[in-house]
Amino acid sequence: MAEAQYFKRLNFQKEQKLLEAVSLFNSWLDELLIAGISQLQHDPDKLNEIASRMVDYGAPGIARKLRMIPERIAKGSNWMEFTFQQLGEFYLVVRSFKNIVALNEFEKEDLLNYCGIPFTKTSFSESSFYTDDWLYLGTVSEKEDKLIVNRNWFYGLNCKSCVLFLEFQFNRFVPIKQFKNGSIYKSSVQFYPSASPQRIKEMQSESSYLASEYFIKSHTIESALDLYCERISINPLLKQYCFILNSVKFTSYQESWYLKSESGQLIRLTNSIAEIQQLLTYTANIQNVIIGEYENNSLNVFSVIMDYEIVSLKQ
């Protein structure tokens, strides 16, 4: 039986299907750019058709991202900007596949992850565990089609880095883990293979204790953006990143709210008005630390640290 040529954890048939999907997707992108993306606003079926084809060819991750575009169009807010960002990602993925012989194994894994190729238990090495005390920072929930994605962020008190534990909820009857604000979880974790490891396979919730005092490394807006740029230079497909920010103020401009550093650097906030009002109260003291998820040049703040207490905006 023939073996997969490029991806170690795929068999030959699945690899061929994936390569066919990328070839089909490349042709669709070329046609779309020639015709103009404004047609998507008037003919959403174009997106549903190509999304269904991507599922058929074994690339459900691309399909989910395609189906997010008509949702954003229906909302009517910044859909053109969002669509251009998605198309830029798609173009990068297609170019990466065309240059696949030059990619290392971790870069190939990032491509598979983007395409939504699932991991099996045998895909993980049993010796690649890392143990730390993980401080729970908060969760961002997002709806993709009929799927709810919960992105749980933790901070390793020894490794001084943030990790991401994803949970997928297909309906409200599917149980998900409940993590407590300010709790530390003693757990051995496994990282998904990546050029920039961040996502973990599992976080044990049984062994935990409430933190009293701890040291958590925070950054100015400038240094956080520098670190993010370093990460995406290694892995351009990195979607979300956790920012832990100090010395910030809030400012509004043209009906949008921003975090502002002492030097004047701005980051646009995607939080609701109610959450902004909470933040203005919690951050009256500039010593308080802001925690949020950075994506698409914007920040979604989900927690604030005040005197070693982590306060969630969702509570």
Side-chain angles (χ1 to χ4, degrees), residues 24-261:
L24 175 66
F25 192 49
N26 184 26
S27 299
W28 181 84
L29 279 174
D30 289 342
E31 293 174 3
L32 177 64
L33 292 177
I34 291 172
I37 70 168
S38 59
Q39 65 179 300
L40 298 178
Q41 191 175 19
H42 310 291
D43 189 5
D45 288 339
K46 288 184 176 293
L47 287 166
N48 293 329
E49 290 172 6
I50 188 64
S52 296
R53 298 292 296 277
M54 291 298 100
V55 172
D56 294 339
Y57 279 84
I62 293 177
R64 287 200 304 271
K65 293 173 177 64
L66 283 165
R67 287 172 175 148
M68 290 171 64
I69 296 175
E71 291 179 5
R72 185 60 66 93
I73 292 175
K75 291 180 180 178
S77 60
N78 298 324
W79 78 267
M80 188 76 77
E81 177 186 350
F82 177 81
T83 303
F84 271 119
Q85 288 173 339
Q86 291 292 342
L87 293 178
E89 287 182 11
F90 294 154
Y91 179 77
L92 177 61
V93 168
V94 168
R95 294 291 298 176
S96 297
F97 270 97
K98 289 182 177 180
N99 194 39
I100 197 168
V101 293
L103 302 183
N104 62 40
E105 293 304 317
F106 291 125
E107 291 168 331
K108 292 175 185 177
E109 287 293 342
D110 284 321
L111 278 180
L112 292 182
N113 179 58
Y114 188 90
C115 293
I117 309 299
F119 266 84
T120 62
K121 291 182 178 180
T122 56
S123 301
F124 288 90
S125 169
E126 291 303 319
S127 61
S128 58
F129 285 92
Y130 178 79
T131 302
D132 206 333
D133 295 313
W134 304 102
L135 175 66
Y136 174 60
L137 301 177
T139 296
V140 176
S141 293
E142 186 175 64
K143 188 174 182 180
E144 294 182 3
D145 198 13
K146 297 179 180 180
L147 177 71
I148 296 177
V149 181
N150 293 305
R151 294 192 291 272
N152 304 292
W153 289 98
F154 295 83
Y155 179 83
L157 296 180
N158 297 313
C159 68
K160 309 299 181 188
S161 296
C162 294
V163 298
L164 173 63
F165 170 49
L166 261 64
E167 290 183 291
F168 300 95
Q169 192 173 22
F170 296 94
N171 61 65
R172 62 188 180 89
F173 300 106
V174 175
I176 59 173
K177 292 192 174 183
Q178 300 295 324
F179 299 103
K180 298 178 181 178
N181 290 330
S183 288
I184 294 175
Y185 295 83
K186 186 78 172 181
S187 179
S188 294
V189 302
Q190 289 177 292
F191 286 85
Y192 279 77
S194 171
S196 183
Q198 175 177 261
R199 183 184 170 190
I200 58 174
K201 176 186 175 186
E202 184 62 85
M203 176 64 71
Q204 299 299 323
S205 59
E206 292 78 15
S207 178
S208 67
Y209 59 92
L210 191 64
S212 54
E213 291 190 5
Y214 50 82
F215 174 76
I216 185 168
K217 187 175 182 180
S218 60
H219 298 272
T220 63
I221 289 177
E222 290 82 1
S223 62
L225 290 173
D226 287 343
L227 287 172
Y228 177 73
C229 289
E230 289 178 12
R231 293 291 291 272
I232 62 172
S233 68
I234 299 171
N235 176 14
L237 298 178
L238 184 68
K239 285 291 292 180
Q240 296 93 14
Y241 195 63
C242 188
F243 277 12
I244 304 175
L245 302 174
N246 60 49
S247 306
V248 295
K249 296 181 179 180
F250 290 82
T251 185
S252 61
Y253 177 70
Q254 293 185 348
E255 300 183 353
S256 293
W257 282 88
Y258 297 82
L259 283 185
K260 182 179 180 181
S261 70

Side-chain angles (χ1 to χ4, degrees), residues 11-29:
N11 60 37
F12 178 78
Q13 290 81 2
K14 287 186 177 180
E15 181 177 272
Q16 291 304 302
K17 277 286 190 181
L18 179 60
L19 296 178
E20 289 175 24
V22 173
S23 178
L24 175 66
F25 192 49
N26 184 26
S27 299
W28 181 84
L29 279 174

